[in-house]
Amino acid sequence: MVVADKYEMVCGLEVHVELQTKTKIFCGCTTEFGGEQNTHVCPVCLGMPGTLPVLNREVVNYAIKAGLALNCEIAEFSKFDRKNYFYPDLTKNYQTSQFDLPICGKGGLEIEVDGEKKWIGITRAHMEEDAGKLVHSGETITTSNESSVDYNRAGVPLLEIVSEPDLRSISEVLAYLEQLVQILEYTEVSDCRLEQGSVRFDVNVSLRPIGATTLGTRTETKNLNSFSSVRRCMEYEVARQARVLNAGESVVQETRTWDEGKGITLTLRSKEEAHDYRYFPEPDLAPLVIDREWVEKIRKTLPELPSARRVRLQALGLSAYDASVITQGKAMANFFDEALSYYGDAKTLANWVMGEVTRLINTNQSSMDDSPISAKQLAELLDLIDKGTISGKIAKSVLEEMYSTGKEAKLIVKEKGLSQISDEGALQGIIDGVISANSQSVEDYRAGKDRAIGFLVGQIMKATKGQANPGLVNQLLKEKLS
Amino acid sequence: MGTEKSVSELHELLVHKDLSSTELTRAYIERIHSVDPELQAYLTVLEDQALTQAAEVDYKIAQGEVVGALEGIPMALKDNMCTEGIRTSCASKMLENFVPPYNATVTDRLRAAGTILLGKLNMDEFAMGSSTENSYFAKTRNPWDLECVPGGSSGGSAVAVAADEAAFTLGSDTGGSIRQPAAFCGVVGMKPTYGAVSRFGLVAFASSLDQIGPLTKTVRDNALVMNAIAGYDPLDSTSVPSEKSDYTKFLVNNIKGLKIGIPREYFGEGIDPDVASVIQAGIQTLIDLGAEVGECSLPHTEYAIPAYYLIATAEASSNLARYDGVRYGYRAEAADVLGMFKTTRAEGFGQEVKRRIMLGTYALSSGYYDAYYLKAQKVRTLIKQDFEKAFEKFDVLLSPTAPTSAFKFGEKSANPLAMYLSDITTVPINLAGIPAISIPAGFVKGLPIGMQLMGKAFDEGTLYRTAYTFEQNTNYHTLKPNLSGEVLARGSR
């Protein structure tokens, strides 16, 4: 692509994350998603005359936790500010947010793209309240005859995480976002349900000639809510800016919006009509003083983060790829760790988790969270293989049975008589029968055709309905024929 | 019958069954009917509700139950304090039909104390003004001279007490809005320490300056009302967690050794010489009663008015942004959303409110923020420090509450700057967040003059002690405006 030869992309991201508190940031209303329009509201989150905000301490706990997980400095002194602008989805026509003294300062996280590691800086993360939602009868607010407002979401706590403009490719952007979401999910700061809008992305992109050190003019595209939208939007925007620059024109600094249907970005507002937000300190809330004890108490609640887990899993003998697959989602990683406490062979366990268990979940369109097979049950199944009670092949069908019935492996093996035949005496007779019934194959083997033994083993397995111990069969057969 | 009596006198009559709360409430309603058509202190009168509440208290008394100091006492609230199911208009077209589904914390507390709510009182629109001329509905008249303003913005609250239309009232004070009308009408008005009384349910003008306080006939009544309304409220993060204190224990007739500071800047240019001599006489009274009086300086006073008008209007521009016609209140018809916002605000707000919104928006706008808002905040810190320094030497500071007595209607309304200067002695107290009380201290040409006492943060007690001692040794608070002849005649036509 012409872009890659001529221009370097510079990107920074703003990510809005809904924090997983049960109640809103300044009142006691539920943060539950959905619900009939305007049922999760009270005079406070509706900004009715005379009402006052009271800060939900849980929001601060979550913000500190996220900040620690993202290696941010946690401010000792922080405050809320009002960001003033008019819009019908804002109940007070200002948003209570943080301006110059955010709760989380500089931090960052490490990403890996094509085997290369890179540190992406985080400038800040601050707390704020979400706005309501406009419901238009037509396409947009200006072309609708009628618009209504649902304030259920108004006052839901958000953390806005702002990155440095350190990202240089779409792959880096996606790696950063995946990492970020993973960390937020692991720390249980957010449920990270992208489809419910609990994580939203604003993408700042500019291009500059390769080798240039100054930044080009950027555009900001707001409110993307999936990784695929981010990718498509950036592909479009980078190509668009390259076309503008190639034509000898300049990129206009502006806020753009992504049209998912058409796959294009459109001007939302230009710099000239940019908002003057008239920030000033929120007089209704006292400044927030965060003593170090508070921070340390929260640090103790931090779980092992995905990056640390990957390192640990690799030390147990897993490949980098396996470790990254296992840690992709918190549910799988936790399932794996739990199973590991019952079953010591990490590599075998990883193969089963990434293979059979994942396959069953996928074909049943379920999720790891509500897998009917517990980690302990999987470990017991693997123990049965190791003890030679069942073969790996039988184990797969047992696992399916476990998935559909929820029964323990041992019980299924017993009920269905699936135990492996490892009794030499019992096998001798069957082997003798197969040898006498297949004299041609015996001759072929003796004449040096090694392949013939495979046929004989197959016949023995067939005769035992797959329950014969294949290793033992091989050994006994060879002894007989030699 | 009884409407001219103080809360504590009425309480005695009620407990001794010399008077029932129903009789008293009826008397106040009659009084309102007779004088309010002329005075226009009330925007809403709650006859039926008040009589029902009174009957409940009478039943309690009849059962022999002990009743509290405010139980059965008829009172009224400034119309910027939310009352569930009762219109709360802020004297604005914008909220002409606004009926809140919740109570302000002070409303709840006064109800819990068993008071009878007679109605809602007139004010300058959104509490912006010093004369109650800015009400959308009516101009309240000063009972001492019907050609004069009652002061503002709690003009209705001061008049209702002065004209015996309520036993006590609540006002709100952002830059002097309790004290100045109290002074103009000859009643006692307290602006408590910022954070001492919950602001929840007070329709905000300037959040960092607003404070609710009582207007009463006597200092004792004032302390009694403070007992009911002050104290921590979990619904207001700026309210201060503190023990409930009994303010009446400070009502001692003794100020021997009390150190009173006289800030020289409060007696400078703009102070009417007649007012100054009334206050000088007041100071002499206090000296005679044993106080030690000395001069002091609050050097940043001259910057208080500009700093106040930047901070107050900045906050107001933000607080009043919610009135856009989308959710409640007045809504204008227009072709699109932006047009609806604009027309709603253009038609719904009065001139003074719009003037302040524009001033505040400008002060906060990028490019001017540092020069105006930020600088004003720095001045505010300096003013606070002035007071802290003065209170190292003095227990109480003393000044006139207002530079003049009540002025005539229209005298200052054509010149907003002149009107703003009438707050010069009250505004610094709000910037510093400290308490101050205005008490009747004399008369000039038949109009009452208020003396302002300022105290350390949360030291309302010393103010009550000083004010009580002054009151017990003077008779200004006992004098009444003459409303028997002309007003009654005009009111009943």
Side-chain angles (χ1 to χ4, degrees):
Chain A
M1 171 156 120
V2 64
V3 177
D5 302 337
K6 258 173 109 173
Y7 302 108
E8 178 182 51
M9 185 201 85
V10 177
C11 175
L13 295 160
E14 285 163 32
V15 180
H16 289 85
V17 184
E18 255 180 34
L19 296 175
Q20 215 170 350
T21 55
K22 292 205 164 55
T23 54
K24 291 184 179 181
I25 184 166
F26 298 127
C27 67
C29 288
T30 178
T31 53
E32 213 176 287
F33 180 77
E36 279 215 24
Q37 281 189 26
N38 296 309
T39 52
H40 300 169
V41 293
C42 72
V44 174
C45 59
L46 286 174
M48 302 278 280
T51 59
L52 296 170
V54 177
L55 178 61
N56 179 349
R57 303 296 276 190
E58 241 354 83
V59 173
V60 182
N61 287 335
Y62 278 117
I64 293 174
K65 197 171 180 186
L68 290 173
L70 297 171
N71 306 295
C72 291
E73 296 159 7
I74 308 299
E76 291 185 34
F77 185 87
S78 173
K79 68 172 171 67
F80 282 94
D81 300 271
R82 290 186 184 179
K83 182 180 180 180
N84 292 285
Y85 64 99
F86 280 86
Y87 208 68
D89 68 359
L90 269 187
T91 56
K92 298 163 293 190
N93 283 316
Y94 59 79
Q95 182 187 24
T96 306
S97 180
Q98 297 196 288
F99 182 52
D100 54 343
L101 296 172
I103 186 158
C104 303
K106 283 199 177 311
L109 57 82
E110 194 180 63
I111 59 165
E112 194 175 324
V113 175
D114 301 330
E116 295 235 5
K117 288 183 175 164
K118 185 175 173 184
W119 182 261
I120 306 299
I122 285 170
T123 317
R124 58 183 281 162
H126 66 257
M127 300 176 280
E128 61 183 28
E129 58 181 347
D130 209 342
K133 215 169 100 182
L134 294 182
V135 185
H136 304 305
S137 61
E139 283 272 300
T140 66
I141 190 166
T142 44
T143 60
S144 295
N145 289 328
E146 210 176 82
S147 295
S148 58
V149 204
D150 179 8
Y151 293 109
N152 281 356
R153 210 178 61 186
V156 166
L158 297 180
L159 191 69
E160 180 176 339
I161 303 162
V162 183
S163 85
E164 296 281 327
D166 286 348
L167 299 151
R168 294 289 176 273
S169 69
I170 295 175
S171 313
E172 287 185 6
V173 168
L174 293 173
Y176 168 79
L177 291 180
E178 276 166 17
Q179 271 285 359
L180 186 66
V181 168
Q182 217 177 58
I183 290 169
L184 297 168
E185 197 201 348
Y186 266 67
T187 48
E188 294 177 358
V189 159
S190 170
D191 61 17
C192 292
R193 293 202 180 127
L194 273 62
E195 71 286 357
Q196 293 182 0
S198 65
V199 187
R200 278 136 33 205
F201 313 105
D202 296 350
V203 183
N204 294 300
V205 186
S206 65
L207 297 186
R208 64 181 172 193
I210 287 172
T213 50
T214 53
L215 292 172
T217 306
R218 67 182 173 85
T219 63
E220 180 184 18
T221 310
K222 291 187 97 72
N223 264 324
L224 301 159
N225 59 7
S226 74
F227 293 148
S228 81
S229 301
V230 170
R231 184 180 50 74
R232 290 174 62 213
C233 162
M234 288 190 72
E235 281 167 0
Y236 177 86
E237 189 55 23
V238 166
R240 186 189 71 84
Q241 289 190 17
R243 270 200 310 278
V244 171
L245 295 176
N246 282 338
E249 292 162 15
S250 5
V251 172
V252 180
Q253 184 176 333
E254 61 186 2
T255 303
R256 298 179 72 85
T257 181
W258 169 244
D259 186 323
E260 183 77 42
K262 293 187 183 131
I264 57 170
T265 64
L266 295 161
T267 301
L268 195 65
R269 53 178 182 264
S270 67
K271 195 185 175 188
E272 286 72 38
E273 11 170 4
H275 279 122
D276 175 3
Y277 287 119
R278 290 171 284 113
Y279 278 102
F280 76 102
E282 167 59 90
D284 287 331
L285 291 166
L288 195 55
V289 179
I290 299 164
D291 64 52
R292 294 301 95 180
E293 252 174 75
W294 188 357
V295 176
E296 289 316 308
K297 218 171 130 191
I298 291 171
R299 197 191 298 278
K300 289 200 184 87
T301 69
L302 273 184
E304 183 187 30
L305 294 174
S307 53
R309 273 200 191 195
R310 284 192 287 274
V311 170
R312 176 167 60 79
L313 295 189
Q314 287 185 53
L316 292 173
L318 262 55
S319 68
Y321 173 78
D322 288 357
S324 85
V325 172
I326 294 281
T327 55
Q328 187 76 46
K330 191 186 65 171
M332 188 190 275
N334 286 348
F335 182 91
F336 178 84
D337 267 351
E338 200 197 333
L340 198 63
S341 69
Y342 301 108
Y343 184 80
D345 182 352
K347 178 73 190 143
T348 304
L349 184 61
N351 288 340
W352 277 82
V353 172
M354 294 187 298
E356 288 306 301
V357 175
T358 304
R359 188 182 60 77
L360 279 170
I361 284 167
N362 289 345
T363 44
N364 287 286
Q365 292 180 322
S366 180
S367 74
M368 205 75 203
D369 282 314
D370 32 48
S371 160
I373 302 170
S374 73
K376 193 178 178 191
Q377 286 173 335
L378 177 68
E380 284 168 357
L381 178 72
L382 301 187
D383 273 335
L384 291 180
I385 304 174
D386 289 356
K387 281 190 204 142
T389 312
I390 52 172
S391 67
K393 198 174 168 195
I394 295 276
K396 287 181 186 176
S397 63
V398 173
L399 190 72
E400 277 183 37
E401 188 78 14
M402 287 164 72
Y403 192 92
S404 54
T405 63
K407 286 181 184 169
E408 311 268 316
K410 271 184 196 156
L411 186 65
I412 294 167
V413 168
K414 195 180 161 199
E415 277 179 0
K416 301 216 155 179
L418 295 174
S419 285
Q420 204 159 233
I421 304 168
S422 300
D423 175 355
E424 284 189 28
L427 284 177
Q428 294 286 9
I430 297 164
I431 292 171
D432 289 343
V434 168
I435 287 175
S436 56
N438 296 283
S439 51
Q440 185 59 47
S441 295
V442 173
E443 264 175 48
D444 288 351
Y445 175 72
R446 288 196 170 128
K449 286 187 185 168
D450 280 353
R451 266 193 316 161
I453 201 162
F455 174 76
L456 293 170
V457 170
Q459 290 304 303
I460 296 160
M461 294 309 283
K462 197 174 163 188
T464 61
K465 292 181 191 131
Q467 281 172 265
N469 181 334
L472 196 56
V473 169
N474 253 302
Q475 183 203 326
L476 293 175
L477 193 61
K478 278 180 185 165
E479 279 170 15
K480 284 249 154 106
L481 297 179
S482 61
Chain B
M1 180 184 59
T3 57
E4 74 292 348
K5 291 192 159 49
S6 71
V7 170
S8 41
E9 287 166 342
L10 292 173
H11 176 71
E12 289 306 308
L13 293 174
L14 287 174
V15 293
H16 294 112
K17 298 182 185 168
D18 294 328
L19 179 72
S20 73
S21 178
T22 303
E23 287 168 325
L24 182 60
T25 304
R26 249 187 240 292
Y28 275 113
I29 291 168
E30 275 164 29
R31 176 75 177 167
I32 293 167
H33 283 319
S34 84
V35 301
D36 212 56
E38 194 61 29
L39 296 177
Q40 304 270 25
Y42 279 86
L43 292 178
T44 304
V45 181
L46 302 162
E47 243 177 273
D48 294 347
Q49 181 187 305
L51 287 167
T52 308
Q53 288 174 355
E56 285 166 18
V57 176
D58 286 335
Y59 180 77
K60 247 181 114 171
I61 294 171
Q63 297 297 105
E65 282 184 51
V66 179
V67 291
L70 299 183
E71 217 152 348
I73 304 292
M75 58 87 195
L77 299 171
K78 187 176 180 179
D79 208 25
N80 59 353
M81 294 166 205
C82 287
T83 40
E84 186 180 342
I86 298 161
R87 179 177 82 146
T88 302
S89 73
C90 275
S92 179
K93 180 180 182 180
M94 195 61 101
L95 291 177
E96 187 173 1
N97 300 310
F98 177 63
V99 178
Y102 47 90
N103 271 335
T105 297
V106 289
T107 310
D108 273 337
R109 288 190 175 169
L110 287 178
R111 182 77 196 107
T115 62
I116 312 300
L117 180 61
L118 291 168
K120 305 296 291 290
L121 300 160
N122 199 18
M123 55 187 282
D124 282 304
E125 183 181 0
F126 283 102
M128 295 176 187
S130 310
S131 65
T132 314
E133 288 168 290
N134 298 324
S135 167
Y136 171 67
F137 301 104
K139 286 180 176 46
T140 303
R141 290 177 183 277
N142 191 316
W144 294 91
D145 180 342
L146 299 179
E147 302 309 312
C148 285
V149 302
S153 62
S154 310
S157 304
V159 170
V161 174
D164 300 331
E165 295 181 85
F168 73 89
T169 61
L170 292 190
S172 68
D173 190 316
T174 308
S177 284
I178 288 173
R179 292 159 286 157
Q180 185 251 24
F184 281 10
C185 295
V187 299
V188 179
M190 166 69 100
K191 190 226 72 111
T193 309
Y194 184 79
V197 177
S198 169
R199 290 184 295 117
F200 183 86
L202 172 69
V203 180
F205 160 15
S207 310
S208 75
L209 302 159
D210 295 343
Q211 189 61 198
I212 294 173
L215 291 107
T216 55
K217 295 179 204 287
T218 66
V219 175
R220 176 176 296 280
D221 285 3
N222 212 280
L224 286 169
V225 179
M226 269 297 276
N227 279 354
I229 64 171
Y232 177 65
D233 177 12
L235 296 179
D236 177 357
S237 319
T238 61
S239 88
V240 174
S242 61
E243 293 285 307
K244 263 276 189 206
S245 59
D246 176 7
Y247 294 98
T248 57
K249 70 174 189 241
F250 298 100
L251 302 173
V252 261
N253 186 355
N254 180 5
I255 51 163
K256 286 212 173 58
L258 186 86
K259 295 191 185 71
I260 299 177
I262 311 296
R264 88 173 63 95
E265 291 80 4
Y266 285 51
F267 290 81
E269 207 187 324
I271 306 289
D272 183 300
D274 289 342
V275 171
S277 49
V278 165
I279 300 303
Q280 287 301 343
I283 294 169
Q284 192 52 54
T285 305
L286 291 166
I287 292 171
D288 296 344
L289 290 166
E292 295 169 16
V293 173
E295 201 187 54
C296 70
S297 174
L298 300 168
H300 296 94
T301 302
E302 62 172 308
Y303 307 110
I305 290 277
Y308 171 82
Y309 276 93
L310 288 168
I311 292 167
T313 58
E315 292 183 10
S317 72
S318 172
N319 283 332
L320 270 58
R322 69 193 66 195
Y323 308 108
D324 58 10
V326 175
R327 290 160 296 272
Y328 46 77
Y330 179 72
R331 179 189 289 181
E333 291 291 325
D336 58 16
V337 177
L338 193 61
M340 192 272 279
F341 281 179
K342 287 179 174 174
T343 322
T344 295
R345 292 170 67 78
E347 293 173 0
F349 287 135
Q351 206 182 11
E352 182 61 26
V353 172
K354 282 190 271 198
R355 181 182 295 125
R356 296 200 191 193
I357 289 172
M358 297 201 6
L359 208 67
T361 306
Y362 185 75
L364 287 175
S365 61
S366 67
Y368 298 98
Y369 184 89
D370 288 5
Y372 294 126
Y373 180 80
L374 207 62
K375 192 151 236 170
Q377 288 291 17
K378 287 178 182 163
V379 169
R380 183 177 192 173
T381 305
L382 293 173
I383 287 171
K384 222 180 259 182
Q385 288 167 352
D386 280 357
F387 279 109
E388 278 162 16
K389 232 171 136 194
F391 284 122
E392 283 170 12
K393 275 176 79 179
F394 298 102
D395 303 308
V396 169
L397 303 183
L398 186 153
S399 77
T401 305
T404 64
S405 58
F407 43 88
K408 295 243 181 319
F409 283 102
E411 193 180 322
K412 296 189 179 179
S413 49
N415 183 350
L417 276 180
M419 185 76 92
Y420 294 174
L421 285 173
S422 69
D423 299 338
I424 191 151
T425 50
T426 50
V427 150
I429 283 82
N430 298 75
L431 289 171
I434 58 173
I437 192 169
S438 176
I439 51 170
F443 290 83
V444 169
K445 296 183 187 107
L447 287 170
I449 301 301
M451 178 161 80
Q452 175 174 249
L453 302 168
M454 302 156 255
K456 293 170 209 164
F458 297 102
D459 193 18
E460 279 82 356
T462 305
L463 296 185
Y464 279 135
R465 179 181 146 210
T466 315
Y468 183 75
T469 306
F470 184 83
E471 187 188 73
Q472 294 303 301
N473 293 282
T474 54
N475 69 343
Y476 309 115
H477 66 288
T478 61
L479 303 175
K480 292 278 173 188
N482 179 14
L483 285 170
S484 51
E486 192 197 4
V487 173
L488 282 175
R490 285 164 72 183
S492 58
R493 72 174 166 227

